[in-house]
Amino acid sequence: MAKHIIVGIAGHVGHGKTTLAECLSGLADGAGKADKVRGRTIEASVAPLGLADDLVATLIDVPGHERYLKNTVRGLCGAKMAVLVVAADDGVMPRTLEHLRILEFLGVENGFAVLSKCDLVDEETVELAQLEIREAVEGTFLESSAIIPYSAGNEDAVSEILSEMERVCRQIADSSEEGPFRLWIDRICGFSGHGTVVCGTVRSGRVREGDALELLPGNVKTRARSLEIHRGKVQGAVEGQQVGINIPKTPKKSVGRGMLLASPACLEPTRFLNGIVRISEDAVSVLPNHGKVLLYIGTCVSYARAVFMECDAMGPGDEGLVQFRLPESIPALPGDRFVLTPHCEKKVVGGGTILEVSPFKFRGARAKETVGYLKAFAKDDLVGAALAYMNYFPYRPSRVDEIARYCCRSEEQVREAVRKNQDRKKAMLVGENAFFPCDRFEVLKEQIAAAAESLLEQDLLKEVVNPEELRGRLSSQLDKALFQKAMETLQEEDMVVRDGTGYRFAGVAIRLSGSRKALSECLLEYGDERGWAPFTVNQFQEDSSSRTFSKSEIAQVAGYLVKKKRLIRLGDGRLLTPKALEMVKERVKESVHDTGEFTLADSKNILGFGRSKGSMIFEYLDEIGFTRRDGNRRVII
């Protein structure tokens, strides 16, 4: 199969780009429109050029006037190679430099320069013009490229240009058919009896006649009824080919330039694009944070607000991470190149690469995860990017296939990246094919303990925590499998014990809140003041100044104090403080000093109250082993 390369013909207005394209291709009428009065190209024209049996170049002649900048960027967006045309009688001009910047921002890495109109100047001027070009392209992809003198009608020069074009084209890597089919729409035609035909450069993948397709944004389902390349019918098209596709049952009015024709469900349009941007060295002003710009991606042009992630403004030569917030969704993918102009000026100020198609606005609260992912992706560090992606989701593991789809990488590549994270103890397996960051897992375990503590504080009498109640307290988004693995790990670490249908948390220390702490102190103080006379919750509420607390809340705090052994609960539910119990023991010792024994009938003499209250205290003394009952009598042990 022949290799297909898109070649952009760029340069200042009036420098002979169109004439060169016609001389090379033999076509005197491209597909673009022209300003017949001024002789300017208005829209990019397309012309095929067969360089060899196995190599086909498609020449894209773009407008050179700043008024048609939008069409210039659209024409160059699919180029893999560029020919920069500079007129010998004019030299390097503003649009020459701007087109060079556009090519760099769009990621073009191959090409050469043509010095046109050499027949209009002398040899010395040609040499000076060549030096000027060499100086202009210094530090760019054209720095070491050829500069070929040319004039219309000079067949030797045309032959040299074709030879150089073939040489450079062969250095470019072959197009890949992997990935989803994508085509940015550049032209729309309507033919009676045939329907709508959309034209553009295949950006990725492959399309065949009859393939199901989707028009984005809008998710309009359609198909490729027929395909044409340079007015000839074909069965399929691959990356790097300019193709026209007939899409049936799709009204022409529903299709617009800048829309994307793609494989079904391969991407979801978004209003938030994260990327890395570089400001031109010759930009005349600073681009402020949240500044308005025009964003060019593919053939799409959209207003956007540029939100910088690590600075408040960007000036000439600066580079940094940015989020573009768009008024309407556009169908971009990571790796797509973009160009920037001010929203009210037709002058390129910057460009860069989309790194992430984000579902949410960039916020400072998530800056660590977002910046970490973007920096890893910018370095082509898939291991770091995969881990950063997992960190986006604190309550669920991430599957290999979803990471691959988000990063626009193969599942095999992502699986290897995840395996390396496992080897480095950075990620762990949860379930069959899902992974979670190890450090996040440790945080999750701490969150579970904190949530259990909160539940136990809410009900101080509760000792066993229900798992579903605990999971709900953490987050409604907490994955069940992840929660279960965390609970199993806590059990292995002896932090949690399974108790029937719930869990006991050995490592959770319940701390009373400020108001409850004050209530507990009041209870203890009240108990100490009553001495060995036991009391009830109702008595405490009636006798104290704590009427603002409900009986249930007082009962909870009292129960908590009993668990902490700071209060003693008798058999009838009444309460004593440990201090009061010691007083009871002393009273019993003093009263039975002579006989060494006592009965329930002695309650009045020992404690000052009758049998009904005394019996519960004496039974408690038996329980703790202070006394022993023998029939109706008790003795101190």
Side-chain angles (χ1 to χ4, degrees), residues 154-368:
N154 186 332
E155 293 184 3
D156 290 339
V158 170
S159 177
E160 186 178 356
I161 291 170
L162 289 172
S163 176
E164 180 66 11
M165 188 176 293
E166 180 179 353
R167 186 190 71 79
V168 175
C169 282
R170 292 197 182 279
Q171 292 179 344
I172 301 172
D174 291 340
S175 300
S176 171
E177 295 184 23
E178 294 183 1
F181 166 74
R182 292 198 303 149
L183 178 144
W184 286 102
I185 296 172
D186 192 33
R187 298 183 303 282
I188 307 103
C189 309
F191 299 96
S192 179
H194 295 279
T196 303
V197 174
V198 297
C199 305
T201 302
V202 180
R203 297 298 298 272
S204 65
R206 180 187 184 96
V207 63
R208 296 178 179 85
E209 189 175 294
D211 281 357
L213 298 172
E214 189 173 24
L215 194 60
L216 301 167
N219 302 99
V220 177
K221 306 299 181 184
T222 185
R223 65 183 179 87
R225 181 158 60 186
S226 62
L227 295 85
E228 283 192 9
I229 294 179
H230 303 310
R231 301 178 183 177
K233 284 193 174 183
V234 294
Q235 295 299 308
V238 297
E239 179 186 354
Q241 290 184 298
Q242 270 268 332
V243 62
I245 303 177
N246 180 209
I247 51 175
K249 298 181 181 179
T250 309
K252 181 181 177 182
K253 63 182 180 181
S254 67
V255 185
R257 177 183 281 187
M259 296 180 75
L260 187 79
L261 194 63
S263 300
C266 73
L267 74 161
E268 190 65 35
T270 183
R271 291 179 52 238
F272 307 112
L273 298 174
N274 296 338
I276 186 165
V277 62
R278 178 168 60 86
I279 306 300
S280 298
E281 288 78 0
D282 59 351
V284 295
S285 61
V286 171
L287 191 61
N289 197 8
H290 291 261
K292 293 181 180 179
V293 295
L294 266 180
L295 178 67
Y296 299 72
I297 298 181
T299 60
C300 175
V301 183
S302 174
Y303 286 102
R305 195 173 291 277
V307 179
F308 301 131
M309 299 185 184
E310 299 177 288
C311 60
D312 293 328
M314 293 185 71
D318 288 345
E319 184 174 282
L321 298 174
V322 64
Q323 178 174 86
F324 295 111
R325 297 178 182 173
L326 308 163
E328 295 180 357
S329 298
I330 64 173
L333 280 181
D336 285 351
R337 296 283 188 147
F338 63 84
V339 173
L340 286 184
T341 67
H343 76 289
C344 57
E345 228 182 307
K346 292 181 179 178
K347 182 175 177 62
V348 173
V349 295
T353 307
I354 298 299
L355 301 175
E356 179 182 28
V357 178
S358 179
F360 45 75
K361 285 185 178 181
F362 171 76
R363 303 290 190 192
R366 301 196 65 167
K368 181 180 178 181

Side-chain angles (χ1 to χ4, degrees), residues 25 78 137 145 182 377 397 604 627:
S25 65
V137 301
S145 64
R182 292 198 303 149
F377 204 88
K604 186 72 173 177
T627 59

